[in-house]
Amino acid sequence: EAGVTQFPSHSVIEKGQTVTLRCDPISGHDNLYWYRRVMGKEIKFLLHFVKESKQDESGMPNNRFLAERTGGTYSTLKVQPAELEDSGVYFCASSQGVLYGYTFGSGTRLTVV
Amino acid sequence: DQQVKQNSPSLSVQEGRISILNCDYTNSMFDYFLWYKKYPAEGPTFLISISSIKDKNEDGRFTVFLNKSAKHLSLHIVPSQPGDSAVYFCAASGSDYKLSFGAGTTVTVRA
């Protein structure tokens, strides 16, 4: 079974540019989550999809961040325009609904310069 | 507002000895607690969990203890092995299944 795949693994962009991160969850997993770890601090929740619907987006920092999950399969997280404080590692995770079945991807390391 | 805290950023332990990682939380609505392990350039990997109705859960070399009155949990690894060197994250969740993580503890197992 393939795991959670994230692309790209690294991205370096200039302040003001746009970046789109992609996450392919484990096939059949209805629940998809985005998390972010900034500057070696705690991993923080961004949002939760159930299929194509946003179940909880209370962790999204501001309206420069837009997440989509068309068709309930892969998800994208767009940052537009990027700011310096957006730098960090963005993790995606998926599950079939039970909490201990949460599987994380390897993350996308975003650096805004 | 950080609801889960790991106050020790690092821990160094001799191979074969016990590693004890600590975690404190503030939200009394949390009812499920987990430990994740993370190697460099990889995502967190689930290690062990415990629900609030228990005070201990054991899985091989890993045991998690929960003290609800103190809002404290700990992870014991015994015996520690070189492959256990990683960052360990404590996480907690309520009914919404959203995880709140601590900042992590970097464990180094010395040969």
Side-chain angles (χ1 to χ4, degrees):
Chain A
E1 175 184 75
V4 176
T5 305
Q6 292 188 245
F7 182 84
S9 57
H10 293 83
S11 180
V12 180
I13 61 171
E14 292 184 350
K15 177 182 172 181
Q17 288 187 321
T18 298
V19 64
T20 300
L21 313 181
R22 173 170 169 144
C23 169
D24 287 76
I26 292 173
S27 178
H29 281 193
D30 289 338
N31 295 275
L32 186 149
Y33 310 82
W34 284 98
Y35 284 79
R36 176 174 75 170
R37 188 182 189 206
V38 174
M39 291 285 290
K41 295 185 178 178
E42 71 271 22
I43 301 170
K44 283 194 172 181
F45 169 83
L46 295 178
L47 87 160
H48 172 203
F49 282 101
V50 177
K51 295 185 180 178
E52 67 273 12
S53 299
K54 291 177 185 174
Q55 182 77 13
D56 181 349
E57 53 183 330
S58 60
M60 294 288 263
N62 50 60
N63 59 11
R64 296 185 293 102
F65 288 75
L66 175 65
E68 294 180 323
R69 192 182 181 195
T70 307
T73 54
Y74 71 91
S75 174
T76 57
L77 179 64
K78 179 189 286 189
V79 184
Q80 179 183 30
E83 298 289 344
L84 298 179
E85 64 265 25
D86 301 332
S87 295
V89 182
Y90 290 76
F91 292 106
C92 175
S94 72
S95 74
Q96 278 184 305
V98 288
L99 188 60
Y100 46 85
Y102 231 90
T103 303
F104 280 86
S106 298
T108 294
R109 180 174 294 278
L110 174 64
T111 304
V112 183
V113 296
Chain B
D1 178 30
Q2 193 172 350
Q3 301 183 76
V4 177
K5 293 183 181 178
Q6 294 176 254
N7 292 319
S8 296
S10 63
L11 172 70
S12 180
V13 64
Q14 188 90 32
E15 182 179 2
R17 306 295 290 267
I18 185 170
S19 294
I20 300 177
L21 292 80
N22 294 302
C23 177
D24 297 291
Y25 62 96
T26 58
N27 189 340
S28 58
M29 299 303 290
F30 286 149
D31 58 10
Y32 202 76
F33 304 89
L34 309 91
W35 285 93
Y36 280 82
K37 178 179 178 179
K38 183 185 176 306
Y39 292 117
E42 294 184 9
T45 303
F46 170 75
L47 194 57
I48 192 169
S49 64
I50 188 168
S51 77
S52 59
I53 62 173
K54 294 186 173 182
D55 55 18
K56 177 183 175 181
N57 188 28
E58 192 172 351
D59 183 2
R61 296 185 298 114
F62 303 91
T63 302
V64 56
F65 296 92
L66 176 62
N67 182 334
K68 289 189 294 293
S69 60
K71 292 190 176 68
H72 177 84
L73 65 154
S74 62
L75 173 69
H76 291 205
I77 307 172
V78 55
S80 300
Q81 299 174 354
D84 296 332
S85 295
V87 180
Y88 290 79
F89 290 96
C90 171
S93 174
S95 58
D96 59 1
Y97 293 153
K98 179 168 62 181
L99 293 180
S100 294
F101 284 87
T105 297
T106 301
V107 172
T108 303
V109 180
R110 309 185 311 271

